[in-house]
Every structure is written in structure tokens, then in C-alpha cells.
Amino acid sequence: MYFRTMSAQYMLGAVLGFATFGLSAEEQVPSQILQATPNKCVALNQGRTCYADVTLKVNTPALGDYCIRQSQSKKILQCWANTRSFVYTLSFGSPESLSYELISQADRDVLAVTTIEVNWVHKVQVKKRRWRLF
């Protein structure tokens, strides 16, 4: 059973053109390039704005000019020049999950994406109203 799973995983990697282990710096997985800590924010009630200080860590394989931007609005948060790695502290505040992208400043290509998920402790329940005439 393990051999079948391992073989299928290796075959998928071969078909997609990469090995599933032993990645060099030039072959970094996009999820390792941009990391958010914490990547979850918990609000008390559903629909409430969740606030957190999130650290975005960037570690790219090559020197370059990079920017972090919010995925939905395409608003650029900050840019760095001639660097490989940097840290950005984000004051997150949103009632819903948001994604952030690392882009190349020269050609605006998206290099990596991370999502900060918003969860809640209590889900809003709709109360049924029963009307009586008597």
C-alpha cells in the first residue's frame, strides 16, 4: 500500500516535471517563498472584524526588486529593492479571509501567494420568529 502511494506521488512529480523531494534554492516551492505567521485569525462572532499582527516572511531564490500586495484590491503594501529576504509586519483587520501576493517589481509576475484565514468561535444563528394571533 505504501509502495503504491509512493509510486503514484513520484509519478505525479515526474509528469509535472519536478521531484517531490530534494529541492534546491532555485526550485523552491512558492509556499516556502512567502509565509504568514500566524496564518489564521479568530474572531468571537461570525461577521466580526478579526484583528491580528501578522508577520510576512519572504525568502526568494534570487536577488531582485519585490513587492507585497493584497490580492483582491491589488493594493501594494510595500516594496524592497535588490534583496532576497525580508520581513513585513502587517496590521491585519478584516471580517473575511484575505490573500497576499509577492510580485516581481519589474514585470509584475506573481511569485507566491499566502492566505490569512478568518475563523470565528460562534456562528451566527438565525432565530425563527413564530407569530401567534391568540
Side-chain angles (χ1 to χ4, degrees), residues 28 32-35 57-62 84-86 102:
Q28 275 186 322
Q32 294 175 347
I33 294 174
L34 176 61
Q35 295 178 338
K57 294 180 183 177
V58 176
N59 189 15
T60 62
R84 287 182 67 165
S85 62
F86 51 88
L102 175 69

Side-chain angles (χ1 to χ4, degrees), residues 68-77 96 98-101:
I68 293 179
R69 72 177 179 192
Q70 204 265 331
S71 296
Q72 290 82 354
S73 67
K74 304 297 183 197
K75 178 183 174 187
I76 293 180
L77 303 176
E96 60 188 26
L98 293 177
S99 295
Y100 295 89
E101 301 171 335

Side-chain angles (χ1 to χ4, degrees), residues 55-118:
T55 302
L56 298 173
K57 294 180 183 177
V58 176
N59 189 15
T60 62
L63 282 175
D65 300 336
Y66 301 103
C67 295
I68 293 179
R69 72 177 179 192
Q70 204 265 331
S71 296
Q72 290 82 354
S73 67
K74 304 297 183 197
K75 178 183 174 187
I76 293 180
L77 303 176
Q78 189 164 341
C79 294
W80 291 264
N82 198 26
T83 188
R84 287 182 67 165
S85 62
F86 51 88
V87 175
Y88 177 73
T89 302
L90 170 70
S91 294
F92 181 81
S94 176
E96 60 188 26
S97 299
L98 293 177
S99 295
Y100 295 89
E101 301 171 335
L102 175 69
I103 61 170
S104 170
Q105 196 172 9
D107 50 8
R108 302 287 184 196
D109 285 342
V110 176
L111 304 174
V113 178
T114 190
T115 301
I116 301 169
E117 295 182 22
V118 174

